[in-house]
Amino acid sequence: MKKALPLFLGLAALYAVLFGLRFWWSQWARSVELSTGKPSYLHYEFVDIRLRARDPKLVERWRRSPPKASVLFRGKEVSTVAHLRDLELKYDSDSGAWIGLWPCPWNAEPGRYDLRLAGFESELAGRLRTKSFEIRRRRPKALPPGFVALTLESVMPLQSMKVTAPSGEKKDWRGLLDWVEYVGADAFWVLGGQTPGQKPGEVWMNQNLAMIPMLARECRRRGIKFGVYAMCYLTMSSSNKIPGYEYALEIEDGKPVETRAVSLREKKRVRDVIEILKKFRGIPEVDYLGIDYVRNALGGYELAEEFYAEMPGLRPPPDWGKLSRQERMVYFARKKVMRRDHDFIDAWQWWRAHLVGQIVSQIKGELGEEKPLWAFTLTWDKGWHHGQDPVMMNDAGVDADALMLYEATGPQFHDLIQDWNGYVKRRDAQLVVGDVIDWPLHQRHPEGPKEFYRRSILAIDKIYSDGPAAGVFFHDLSRALWGRVGPWGTKAWMDEARNAARYFRSLPQNRAPGDR
């Protein structure tokens, strides 16, 4: 009896293990998991949703009729871009999972989001495991309180430049900095990279590249922060094309034609922009790095097939597969220009902003965090009209989003500000507002510079719904010196820029501690 007991206990333990393994195997084989590719996402990203099942019956069923997933926030189903709610998942043989891309909603509330497998809650009770994910914001590098910048958008040779200083004295390029001091700007943001160069096939204009370090050192000597920027996707020539670049396509007379803008999917262009910005970064006295035309500058119809392939919730026309590439682009262009399908337009605007976010993220990732990155953003419809979004830009790596509030009538300007005020808060992105020194672009207003001042103040006060702008810039010094300033001359416009800067700095949060 004593000898049999250990044997009995051993057999009992063995059977317990076998039954346990069998139960575990049964549970594992029947389990269903709905999750995302990573735990958190930024606003410019697709959330990649994945559904995995090992039950042969479920697999066969879903192969015939694809399942759908939805996203919940605080217990309520989320409607995302183009009113997409239930996302159809497609089987991917490489991963053995049903997958789908869910576009992060415009300026989605940060926090935890949950997944739901539509229509299967009761059927899969006890078998379905879901994992939540997070939407978060990137915190930009803070600008100093009361930040003011003056820009210079010019490739005029600095070495031979003659500048009339505020005193009326004729000076060389150093006279530019006299105006920066006159306005009371913290920083001077200067164009350093423009395509194409002087010679055929040359990527960058190089006549001022050797002068940039000298300009930076003079700014440092005067206590002025110095920034330099590159134009990204718009080139300044339709004939001098860069070998190896894919250019964006426009539709003219029913046919695709090349524009002077580089396509957003051109990888070589990203590398060229990164390399020139790295050179600027290497100059010790450079404090800020910038990018302009980081958007779908012209055309963009070469992206039509890629857009339809990636963007969920939209379907091309039934005969899409029979159309040639050219016919597809023509169809796409007509649909976009008519603007009747609002979900289509919403999706197209989001998807382009998503591409821009990926580009900015790559640029920022290689430049690093040491020197703040700013970007110029066009402002119609919160930037969406141009394939830009301030929240996406922030999350992708832009520290200061310089909003170009140009080329609008007075009523349009008020509408622009109202759109922004209803969309963005100070926590969402660091916005630096700017108007242009140009009389015709203020509709030859009889008060010219005064209207420039009024628009600057309105933008400062109302761009956010919960406080004043993070900064202000005036665009640009070359226009003020040699542009369309009307009967007032340079000084009258710069006086109003100085007045706007003083007003901005007088706001309570921008005052020095001893002045509050």
Side-chain angles (χ1 to χ4, degrees):
M1 187 69 179
K2 291 182 179 179
K3 292 182 179 180
L5 183 59
L7 178 62
F8 172 77
L9 293 175
L11 287 172
L14 176 61
Y15 278 114
V17 170
L18 291 174
F19 280 116
L21 287 173
R22 183 177 179 181
F23 177 78
W24 174 85
W25 174 261
S26 173
Q27 291 295 104
W28 179 84
R30 296 177 70 250
S31 68
V32 179
E33 181 178 282
L34 184 62
S35 61
T36 55
K38 57 183 185 177
S40 66
Y41 294 84
L42 296 164
H43 286 82
Y44 68 92
E45 295 181 294
F46 278 111
V47 177
D48 53 323
I49 298 175
R50 304 174 183 187
L51 174 66
R52 286 185 169 84
R54 302 174 185 86
D55 185 332
K57 292 182 180 179
L58 274 179
V59 170
E60 181 59 29
R61 178 179 172 184
W62 287 340
R63 294 288 291 272
R64 292 194 308 267
S65 180
K68 294 181 179 180
S70 58
V71 176
L72 307 178
F73 182 63
R74 296 173 182 167
K76 295 183 179 180
E77 188 175 14
V78 178
S79 176
T80 187
V81 178
H83 296 101
L84 177 65
R85 297 178 75 88
D86 291 334
L87 175 67
E88 184 175 294
L89 306 177
K90 298 179 181 179
Y91 185 71
D92 177 60
S93 56
D94 291 337
S95 63
W98 283 263
I99 60 176
L101 298 178
W102 187 77
C104 182
W106 297 108
N107 199 6
E109 189 73 19
R112 195 190 81 177
Y113 287 72
D114 299 305
L115 298 174
R116 181 173 67 189
L117 192 58
F120 286 88
E121 291 87 346
S122 58
E123 182 179 342
L124 297 178
R127 298 175 57 186
L128 176 62
R129 293 185 301 155
T130 61
K131 293 183 178 180
S132 61
F133 66 92
E134 181 187 9
I135 293 177
R136 61 185 180 88
R137 299 190 195 280
R138 169 186 168 270
R139 185 184 295 274
K141 199 160 190 171
L143 291 170
F147 177 80
V148 177
L150 182 62
T151 69
L152 179 72
E153 187 177 58
S154 172
V155 290
M156 293 171 59
L158 286 163
Q159 196 156 18
S160 58
M161 188 176 287
K162 302 298 180 185
V163 179
T164 302
S167 64
E169 181 185 356
K170 291 286 185 180
K171 293 190 174 184
D172 63 6
W173 58 269
R174 294 172 182 83
L176 298 172
L177 303 186
D178 292 356
W179 283 109
V180 179
E181 293 174 325
Y182 182 80
V183 168
D186 300 279
F188 192 31
W189 286 351
V190 173
L191 173 62
Q194 178 178 296
T195 300
Q198 293 95 322
K199 299 176 182 177
E202 194 173 52
V203 175
W204 300 107
M205 292 280 287
N206 59 22
Q207 59 190 17
N208 283 332
L209 293 182
M211 292 290 296
I212 293 293
M214 193 179 302
L215 187 57
R217 287 193 293 271
E218 180 63 15
C219 281
R220 180 66 59 87
R221 188 185 71 80
R222 299 194 191 194
I224 299 168
K225 298 292 185 181
F226 182 69
V228 59
Y229 70 96
M231 290 186 178
C232 295
Y233 285 90
L234 186 67
T235 73
M236 297 299 115
S237 173
S238 297
S239 56
N240 186 3
K241 298 291 179 68
I242 306 301
Y245 276 3
E246 178 185 8
Y247 283 81
L249 299 179
E250 184 60 91
I251 302 298
E252 293 182 7
D253 299 324
K255 296 180 180 179
V257 295
E258 274 193 352
T259 67
R260 61 190 175 98
V262 182
S263 174
L264 280 181
R265 68 184 181 190
E266 178 51 70
K267 305 298 184 186
K268 185 175 184 297
R269 183 58 178 176
V270 186
R271 287 253 47 94
D272 286 341
V273 170
I274 289 171
E275 291 310 312
I276 194 171
L277 290 175
K278 281 184 175 179
K279 290 180 181 178
F280 297 146
R281 182 191 64 181
I283 300 170
E285 295 83 8
V286 167
D287 301 291
Y288 298 95
L289 300 169
I291 45 180
D292 193 11
Y293 290 102
V294 54
R295 63 179 185 270
N296 182 200
L298 297 170
Y301 299 119
E302 77 285 356
L303 303 171
E305 294 169 317
E306 190 176 338
F307 165 73
Y308 267 129
E310 190 172 36
M311 195 71 197
L314 299 176
R315 297 188 185 278
D319 58 349
W320 184 256
K322 299 178 182 178
L323 300 180
S324 67
R325 182 168 183 262
Q326 177 174 316
E327 289 170 332
R328 290 178 177 182
M329 284 189 279
V330 171
Y331 164 85
F332 189 91
R334 287 174 179 166
K335 187 174 179 67
K336 184 182 84 71
V337 170
M338 286 190 294
R339 298 186 74 84
R340 293 177 184 170
D341 187 338
H342 296 295
D343 286 347
F344 170 84
I345 295 299
D346 193 36
W348 172 240
Q349 292 181 163
W350 187 94
W351 187 75
R352 288 184 302 160
H354 152 75
L355 291 187
V356 168
Q358 290 181 315
I359 291 164
V360 171
S361 178
Q362 183 180 351
I363 292 172
K364 182 67 170 182
E366 296 212 28
L367 294 179
E369 295 288 343
E370 180 188 355
K371 298 186 178 183
L373 178 70
W374 92 87
F376 289 108
T377 297
L378 281 171
T379 50
W380 293 103
D381 195 14
K382 293 93 67 184
W384 299 358
H385 187 80
H386 315 281
Q388 294 177 304
D389 174 73
V391 180
M392 291 190 185
M393 296 285 261
N394 173 84
D395 284 2
V398 168
D399 295 297
D401 202 352
L403 304 185
M404 300 183 288
L405 297 161
Y406 318 160
E407 301 187 31
T409 64
Q412 287 172 335
F413 190 88
H414 280 78
D415 289 344
L416 281 177
I417 299 300
Q418 189 172 11
D419 276 351
W420 282 85
N421 182 272
Y423 177 62
V424 68
K425 292 182 171 61
R426 290 175 62 88
R427 67 176 187 179
D428 302 333
Q430 197 162 222
L431 303 182
V432 182
V433 296
D435 195 7
V436 63
I437 298 171
D438 187 285
W439 190 34
L441 291 183
H442 289 81
Q443 297 73 55
R444 300 185 181 274
H445 193 283
E447 293 183 288
K450 291 290 184 185
E451 176 66 4
F452 166 77
Y453 172 81
R454 285 191 289 266
R455 294 188 186 189
S456 298
I457 299 309
L458 180 62
I460 288 168
D461 287 343
K462 298 296 183 181
I463 199 68
Y464 291 121
S465 61
D466 61 347
V472 61
F473 73 97
F474 308 113
H475 190 72
D476 78 295
L477 186 50
S478 67
R479 284 174 170 83
L481 290 169
W482 305 293
R484 304 179 300 183
V485 293
W488 298 275
T490 300
K491 201 162 187 295
W493 289 86
M494 299 303 274
D495 281 343
E496 296 305 334
R498 181 168 66 172
N499 290 338
R502 286 174 174 171
Y503 169 81
F504 181 53
R505 292 213 175 96
S506 74
L507 298 177
Q509 60 269 45
N510 293 332
R511 294 177 193 158
D515 298 333
R516 292 177 184 173

